[in-house]
Structures are given as structure tokens and as C-alpha cells.
């Protein structure tokens, strides 16, 4: 009987159950699986933040582009439209300078700066894990793309095109929705920096 049990083996014996210990290869596999879970979660979160960035940028860019198309078709070469009396009007103008009409002699330089901003944001997106930063950079990207489109495709020529502005508050420069997106994104970035929140989601104290 003892000889038969030795040959056949029984499931309750320590040898048949592996002596109650996990094999080295099984332990290594379990450890690797546990280590991969936080990394996979981080990658997934990063992809969601990048999706938010490009969604915000697309919305800002589309809104700016559509508004300019309407302004050029319906408002250019027509009298201004009063929105709030003399305090706020819609008035179509062509701006060869930077945001709010500054620096009209440096159109090509502003075009290069806008292109550089887009490249920097695209590179920064790879390390983006913060939702507020994703929104801020999305606003910057959408605004930069909006004005860069004008620089490239509008008269008087490629990289020298005049930007379409139409929002005209009293005692202030005329601007457009792309300018607004850039300013809002910049303000948000300043606030996040003061709070010590980095694009990768870490918080530091000075």
C-alpha cells in the first residue's frame, strides 16, 4: 500500500502541492504584474489628459475659425455692430501685429513665435498628467493655431497674413477669440505655477 501511494502520489502530500511554496518563476510573474499596474494606470491617466488638451485646443480653434469666417463674410466693410452701447462693439479689422494690435512691424517674428509655442506644447504633452495644465495648454494651443492660420493663409502673403480681429471694447485694443484663449491659458498657467502644480501632476513647495 505504501509503495502504491509512493508511485501514484496523493494531492494532500507536501510534494504534490509544491511543499506549500510558490515557485520562483511564479513569484517573479506575480511581482511583475503588481509593478505594471501603477505604470499602466499612469499611462492611462496621461492619455486622458492629452485627450483633454487636444479637445480644448480643437474647440478653441474651431470657435475662433468659425467666428472669423462669419466676421469676414458679414461684418467686414460694414459699420460696427453695437453689443453694449459704446462699451462693446463688433468691428472687423485686419491686424498685422501680435495680440491686441501690438508690434505690427514684426509679423514674421510673431508667426515664428506662434509656431514655436505649438511645438513646445506638443513636446510637453508627453509628460502631462495634470488636468488643469491640460486645459491651460489646450487654450494656448487652440489660440496659437487660430492666429497662425491667419498668418499663413490670409493677405498679404504666407507668414505675413493679417489676423482678423473684431471684439472692440471701449478704450481697449480690438482682439479676437484666439487672443482671449491665449490670455486665459496664460493666466491659468500663472495661477498653477503660484500654487506649485507642475504639468506632470506633482506639487512642490518653495
Amino acid at each position: 500500500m505504501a509503495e502504491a501511494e509512493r508511485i501514484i502520489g496523493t494531492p494532500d502530500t507536501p510534494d504534490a502541492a509544491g511543499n506549500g511554496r510558490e515557485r520562483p518563476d511564479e513569484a517573479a510573474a506575480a511581482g511583475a504584474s503588481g509593478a505594471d499596474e501603477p505604470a499602466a494606470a499612469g499611462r492611462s491617466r496621461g492619455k486622458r489628459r492629452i485627450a483633454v488638451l487636444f479637445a480644448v485646443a480643437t474647440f478653441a480653434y474651431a470657435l475662433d475659425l468659425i467666428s472669423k469666417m462669419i466676421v469676414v463674410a458679414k461684418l467686414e466693410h460694414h459699420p460696427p455692430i453695437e453689443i453694449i452701447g459704446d462699451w462693446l462693439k463688433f468691428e472687423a479689422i485686419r491686424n498685422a501685429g501680435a495680440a491686441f494690435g501690438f508690434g505690427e512691424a514684426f509679423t514674421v517674428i510673431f508667426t515664428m513665435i506662434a509656431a514655436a509655442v505649438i511645438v513646445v506644447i506638443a513636446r510637453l504633452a508627453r509628460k502631462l498628467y495634470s488636468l488643469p495644465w491640460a486645459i491651460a495648454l489646450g487654450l494656448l494651443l487652440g489660440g496659437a493655431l487660430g492666429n497662425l492660420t491667419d498668418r499663413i493663409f490670409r493677405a498679404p502673403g504666407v507668414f505675413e497674413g493679417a489676423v482678423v480681429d473684431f471684439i472692440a471694447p471701449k478704450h481697449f485694443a480690438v482682439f479676437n477669440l484666439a487672443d482671449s484663449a491665449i490670455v486665459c491659458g496664460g493666466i491659468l498657467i500663472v495661477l498653477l505655477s503660484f500654487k506649485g502644480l507642475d504639468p506632470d501632476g506633482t506639487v512642490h513647495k518653495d
Side-chain angles (χ1 to χ4, degrees):
M1 183 65 178
E3 183 67 15
E5 289 182 353
R6 184 185 68 79
I7 296 174
I8 299 174
T10 59
D12 294 329
T13 59
D15 290 336
N19 293 326
R21 294 191 299 268
E22 191 175 33
R23 290 182 301 175
D25 56 343
E26 292 176 348
S33 175
D36 286 343
E37 288 179 0
R43 287 193 296 268
S44 177
R45 185 163 63 96
K47 290 180 179 179
R48 288 197 297 269
R49 299 300 181 259
I50 293 174
V52 169
L53 186 156
F54 286 109
V56 172
T58 300
F59 178 77
Y61 176 68
L63 200 61
D64 177 69
L65 187 63
I66 293 170
S67 67
K68 289 174 179 175
M69 292 173 61
I70 295 173
V71 166
V72 171
K74 302 294 184 181
L75 189 57
E76 200 167 33
H77 309 303
H78 289 80
I81 298 176
E82 294 186 354
I83 305 301
I84 308 177
D86 291 336
W87 290 98
L88 179 62
K89 298 180 181 179
F90 283 169
E91 179 180 5
I93 68 167
R94 297 294 182 114
N95 170 24
F100 307 108
F102 298 120
E104 294 187 4
F106 303 97
T107 305
V108 176
I109 295 177
F110 292 134
T111 303
M112 296 174 62
I113 292 174
V117 168
I118 293 170
V119 172
V120 170
I121 292 174
R123 292 176 61 87
L124 187 60
R126 295 179 301 176
K127 300 179 181 180
L128 186 64
Y129 292 93
S130 167
L131 180 59
W133 269 95
I135 295 173
L137 293 177
L139 290 171
L140 280 181
L141 180 59
L145 284 172
N147 284 338
L148 184 60
T149 300
D150 285 357
R151 303 285 187 200
I152 295 175
F153 295 106
R154 296 193 187 277
V158 178
F159 299 120
E160 297 181 353
V163 174
V164 175
D165 289 335
F166 63 94
I167 304 173
K170 189 176 182 179
H171 306 309
F172 196 74
V174 183
F175 59 98
N176 57 41
L177 295 182
D179 297 332
S180 302
I182 291 171
V183 170
C184 290
I187 292 173
L188 183 54
I189 286 175
V190 171
L191 293 176
L192 294 174
S193 299
F194 272 120
K195 292 181 65 176
L197 179 62
D198 291 336
D200 62 1
T202 60
V203 179
H204 61 84
K205 299 293 185 180
D206 294 331

